[in-house]
Amino acid sequence: MVRLTKIYTRTGDKGRTRLGDMSETDKHDLRVEAYGAVDELNAALGLAVCGAGDDHPLTPELTRIQNDLFDLGADLCVPDRGETLDWEPLRMTPAQTDWLEARIDAHNEKLEPLDSFILPGGAELSARLHLARTIARRAERRTVELASRGDVVGAPAITYLNRVSDYLFVAARIANDDGARDVKWIPGANR
């Protein structure tokens, strides 16, 4: 269990921060960028949940994803250096992605296939979910870049980020009255 008794530590005053294993790194380190983007995604989902309200059918799903995003941040902030730690780091699991895929499939059954790309918008909740989707894609890019430079990132973390953006796309269509309020892109319409 996490216990926070002091909010400021002054560690960051000189551009440094501590990772989950208590090692120190620069605040501009790619690992910090990756889990920072996940944190930003979580905040964007918080706005979506507030806009949806407690009674919206997507709210429990979005709240569950927010919890999973904290798991993801915890995963990313503890590098796997092959060392034995005094504790077991929290890592993403394939089951978390499986749940997303099941929700995507269930929601997609209600939607008509697309015959064009859609513009982010329609209902306000849909627009908020599209914004969250783009943040998810950035978090995914940062995490994949982190992995490509040789830092160990678990495959379930990368897969989850890829799938959460797919979920948010479908959820945005659900928020648009099951796609009825989707705004279609019309290529070259204003030339």
Side-chain angles (χ1 to χ4, degrees):
M1 182 56 119
V2 175
R3 182 178 174 167
L4 301 174
T5 57
K6 191 171 183 180
I7 300 303
Y8 64 90
T9 63
R10 293 191 170 98
T11 304
D13 292 352
K14 294 183 180 173
R16 304 282 288 168
T17 191
R18 291 196 189 282
L19 298 175
D21 64 355
M22 300 310 291
S23 63
E24 202 171 288
T25 191
D26 292 319
K27 284 193 171 187
H28 64 269
D29 184 86
L30 189 54
R31 181 170 297 279
V32 178
E33 283 288 328
Y35 70 71
V38 170
D39 190 33
E40 185 181 350
L41 168 59
N42 208 336
L45 284 181
L47 281 174
V49 168
C50 287
D54 293 339
D55 296 332
H56 196 284
L58 289 174
T59 296
E61 294 179 9
L62 296 172
T63 303
R64 178 178 174 148
I65 291 168
Q66 284 189 283
N67 196 82
D68 283 348
L69 290 173
F70 260 89
D71 289 355
L72 178 57
D75 184 333
L76 292 174
C77 84
V78 178
D80 184 352
R81 296 186 174 107
E83 302 166 352
T84 302
L85 301 173
D86 294 338
W87 46 276
E88 186 176 340
L90 184 61
R91 301 293 183 204
M92 296 299 287
T93 68
Q96 289 165 295
T97 298
D98 293 344
W99 179 85
L100 281 175
E101 289 176 352
R103 297 313 310 142
I104 292 167
D105 292 344
H107 289 311
N108 217 27
E109 287 179 11
K110 303 178 214 172
L111 299 171
E112 292 294 323
L114 288 171
D115 57 7
S116 176
F117 288 107
I118 57 173
L119 304 179
E124 182 177 347
L125 176 57
S126 178
R128 289 178 188 214
L129 292 170
H130 277 294
L131 178 60
R133 175 186 56 77
T134 65
I135 297 168
R137 288 291 187 204
R138 180 162 32 87
E140 179 186 10
R141 289 190 303 272
R142 296 294 181 272
T143 303
V144 169
E145 184 181 1
L146 178 67
S148 74
R149 77 172 192 189
D151 283 316
V152 176
V153 176
I158 294 171
T159 304
Y160 185 88
L161 274 169
N162 184 272
R163 209 69 76 246
V164 78
S165 59
D166 296 334
Y167 169 89
L168 291 169
F169 178 80
V170 171
R173 294 196 67 209
I174 293 296
N176 264 344
D177 297 331
D178 295 339
R181 293 179 62 186
D182 285 344
V183 181
K184 292 184 179 182
W185 171 50
I186 303 167
N190 301 311
R191 288 199 270 175

